[in-house]
Amino acid sequence: MSPDILRGNRLASMDDEALRITSSIGSDERIKDKVVYVNMAHVNSLLASGAIEKAVAEKMLSGLRDALSGYELDYRLEDVHMSLEAYLTSRIGQEAGFLGLGKSRNDQVATALRLQTREELLKTAGLLISLVKALAKAAESESKTFFLAMTHLQPAQPSTAAHWLLSYAEALLMDIERIKLAFRTANLSPMGAAAASGSTVPIDRFEVAELLGFDGLVENTVYAVSARDFLVDAIYALSSIAVNLSKLSADIVAYMALGLIDLDDRFLSTSSIMPQKRNPVVAEIVRAKAATVAAALIGAIETLRGLNESYNLDLQEITPKAWQAFDEVNSMLSVTASMVASIRFNQTAALELANKYLVVASDIAEHISLKHGVPFREAHHIVGEAIKGHEGGEDFMQALVNALKKRGIHESTDELRAVLDPAKAVEARVTVGGPHPKEALRQANRVLSECVKAESWVNDNLSKFKKAYDKLANRGW
Ligand code: ARG
């Protein structure tokens, strides 16, 4: 296709590197179909407003329908929008020129980006839900498995493996809320804003919005063409997911090093020199990839900072950052879901560390405070003193009994022995949201029912959009 087909767009004298650097073709592939649908809706509104004849509209629509099976993107034409117009011109002749009536690439690209973003968000939500389900299911099977609650990467309190898994499930459920918010800010139509202040063509903006399955309008036409805040919202939601996955990976790396968990060989690699090594390389890469996503977020915000209203080509630079963030997070999500399903917990190692680090210390202090009416701070002090120089076990218990006796408090070693048992300490926990096996199962159950709701949110929207696109493509007058 010759770029001459669209006289007057790119300057004939433009340098080839200048053409390349100002072209958005590299990130336009992803909105190719969306641009066609936007144009279909636009043709519809041109006809409805009496701006074009029915025969012209039909010709345009049939050419656009063909474009859905593919059209060439040419960087010399700058972008997907000019490429589509060139394609239509080559199909139906000069009447394709009506496509530009009452719209600009500025409102068109904003619209296509919003159509794509809402869909990308649904796709990521689907992968996110699968991971949350994998975490909740693993939690169900590990509801009784003794594990450690860590602080400062040190064994801190007795817990269950389920409880650790569910901490991520709940964090990621919050990310679904962030995706929903980004979806809401994206799902509005800028069409009709034209370059910046609308046009003299009596286009029904509401009808175009409805045809494209939007929830409503981005009303102010200047805001409509200059806004990329919806991409920032989307990348923020992605960043939050990435940060959670990064933390989960950091835990996997650390817990594996401590011998608390093991992973399937599918997620490990060995060393080129040390044949004994089983390195958690997948988790390490997931941990690092969060940086790429965060960089996309900062990059998007920094690109917007200091821009003047309304459209500037700077905005074009945000698009590839958003697509990259989606791609990274999608692959992080799917590999993490399989990796999580392969985690094996080493309860014996967890119990060993529990005893070594006396993770029931806070339980003992609580026991003394509750049973003998000692202020907790004092009980904390007594336990702290008894621990010093004692390895735990019988030795520690004797020191504790003596320390209590000095204060006139009589405590039996039998009763203390029960409190000192880490496994029993989990059973003794009464906290809502805590690690008690029954409470963990209740949480897993709630997480799974939230997943069902989120799944239907995704599917309802996907089918709504599919219906809108099918209707647009099959419309005749
Ligand atoms: N390719 C541009 C983008 O992705 C849209 C075209 C706007 N160009 C312009 N010169 N007004 O944002």
Side-chain angles (χ1 to χ4, degrees):
M1 182 191 311
S2 155
D4 303 334
I5 205 159
L6 293 168
R7 287 183 313 275
N9 177 39
R10 306 282 256 180
L11 297 175
S13 55
M14 236 174 138
D15 174 81
D16 192 57
E17 200 47 41
L19 285 172
R20 281 180 199 278
I21 200 173
T22 53
S23 164
S24 57
I25 289 296
S27 50
D28 281 349
E29 192 67 44
R30 210 132 158 175
I31 54 169
K32 236 173 138 177
D33 282 1
K34 302 301 183 301
V35 172
V36 176
Y37 289 123
V38 172
N39 277 284
M40 284 175 164
H42 183 65
V43 168
N44 189 83
S45 74
L46 285 179
L47 176 69
S49 71
I52 57 171
E53 301 286 324
K54 196 171 157 188
V56 177
E58 261 162 9
K59 247 166 116 177
M60 287 166 89
L61 193 66
S62 110
L64 288 170
R65 219 176 272 132
D66 294 341
L68 283 177
S69 1
Y71 57 101
E72 191 199 337
L73 297 182
D74 188 340
Y75 76 95
R76 291 167 302 166
L77 293 173
E78 190 172 333
D79 56 25
V80 60
H81 316 285
M82 301 314 291
S83 297
L84 178 63
E85 202 172 319
Y87 168 86
L88 198 66
T89 308
S90 73
R91 303 285 296 200
I92 70 167
Q94 291 309 317
E95 280 165 337
F98 281 111
L99 218 47
L101 187 59
K103 79 171 165 63
S104 146
R105 285 180 295 162
N106 297 355
D107 58 349
Q108 179 164 304
V109 72
T111 309
L113 290 177
R114 284 168 181 274
L115 293 177
Q116 185 62 23
T117 300
R118 69 184 190 187
E119 217 164 284
E120 298 277 350
L121 286 166
L122 294 176
K123 181 177 173 190
T124 302
L127 294 166
L128 184 56
I129 294 165
S130 301
L131 170 59
V132 174
K133 276 162 67 179
L135 287 161
K137 289 201 175 122
E140 281 180 338
S141 11
E142 306 289 350
S143 69
K144 293 196 173 112
T145 311
F146 180 79
F147 205 58
L148 300 161
M150 304 276 200
T151 65
H152 312 273
L153 194 52
Q154 295 170 16
Q157 287 197 304
S159 188
T160 49
H163 195 240
W164 171 69
L165 293 161
L166 287 166
S167 73
Y168 286 102
E170 189 166 335
L172 293 166
L173 274 184
M174 280 298 173
D175 287 333
I176 293 183
E177 296 306 311
R178 294 186 179 92
I179 287 192
K180 283 186 183 168
L181 179 65
F183 180 89
R184 216 148 44 87
T185 59
N187 200 19
L188 300 169
S189 175
M191 275 309 279
S197 69
S199 74
T200 58
V201 186
I203 283 166
D204 183 348
R205 294 191 66 199
F206 293 101
E207 196 198 356
V208 177
E210 205 183 310
L211 285 174
L212 291 167
F214 281 117
D215 284 339
L217 293 188
V218 189
E219 213 172 273
N220 182 286
T221 59
V222 162
Y223 173 55
V225 294
S226 64
R228 292 296 182 270
D229 48 6
F230 65 97
L231 286 180
V232 173
D233 289 342
I235 307 172
Y236 171 64
L238 295 169
S239 301
S240 181
I241 298 169
V243 167
N244 280 322
L245 297 185
S246 174
K247 273 179 67 181
L248 172 57
S249 287
D251 274 1
I252 289 174
V253 173
Y255 295 172
M256 201 173 150
L258 290 168
L260 289 170
I261 60 168
D262 199 9
L263 288 180
D264 202 281
D265 282 353
R266 288 175 298 144
F267 305 102
L268 303 172
S269 85
T270 189
S271 149
S272 60
I273 179 168
M274 302 168 283
Q276 85 283 13
K277 290 302 295 283
R278 296 172 74 247
N279 299 328
V281 289
V282 175
E284 286 171 353
I285 289 297
V286 170
R287 182 170 62 181
K289 274 192 182 293
T292 313
V293 186
L297 178 63
I298 301 297
I301 292 170
E302 281 295 291
T303 309
L304 289 172
R305 182 174 61 90
L307 284 185
N308 309 100
E309 291 285 30
S310 60
Y311 187 89
N312 300 274
L313 202 59
D314 306 50
L315 297 178
Q316 178 173 288
E317 286 294 297
I318 298 177
T319 314
K321 293 175 174 55
W323 300 161
Q324 187 193 14
F326 275 114
D327 289 343
E328 295 286 16
V329 169
N330 290 349
S331 95
M332 288 162 81
L333 280 168
S334 50
V335 80
T336 304
S338 333
M339 184 163 62
V340 159
S342 91
I343 297 178
R344 288 181 300 274
F345 291 88
N346 184 343
Q347 186 170 255
T348 317
L351 282 166
E352 258 169 40
L353 282 180
N355 288 321
K356 183 170 172 212
Y357 284 86
L358 198 67
V359 296
V360 291
S362 58
D363 294 48
I364 298 170
E366 283 167 11
H367 170 78
I368 294 168
S369 182
L370 289 174
K371 186 176 165 200
H372 302 289
V374 176
F376 179 79
R377 190 54 54 223
E378 196 186 334
H380 180 284
H381 183 73
I382 298 169
V383 175
E385 284 297 310
I387 291 170
K388 279 188 197 147
H390 301 100
E391 272 287 286
E394 292 296 321
D395 194 21
F396 158 72
M397 235 171 0
Q398 212 44 64
L400 185 59
V401 168
N402 292 341
L404 287 168
K405 204 180 281 171
K406 259 196 247 157
R407 290 171 164 81
I409 300 166
H410 294 280
E411 177 65 60
S412 80
T413 37
D414 276 356
E415 210 169 319
L416 272 184
R417 205 166 278 126
V419 185
L420 264 171
D421 182 343
K424 287 206 179 100
V426 169
E427 293 280 342
R429 277 176 154 59
V430 293
T431 314
V432 172
H436 189 288
K438 279 202 190 118
E439 180 56 11
L441 283 178
R442 186 197 60 76
Q443 290 170 62
N445 205 23
R446 180 184 78 85
V447 165
L448 287 171
S449 68
E450 290 296 326
C451 287
V452 173
K453 282 189 231 160
E455 262 166 352
S456 53
W457 175 75
V458 169
N459 293 332
D460 291 352
N461 279 299
L462 282 176
S463 63
K464 180 178 155 195
F465 299 153
K466 190 183 174 316
K467 238 188 245 160
Y469 294 142
D470 286 351
K471 201 168 145 194
L472 270 175
N474 300 315
R475 216 176 169 82
W477 293 282

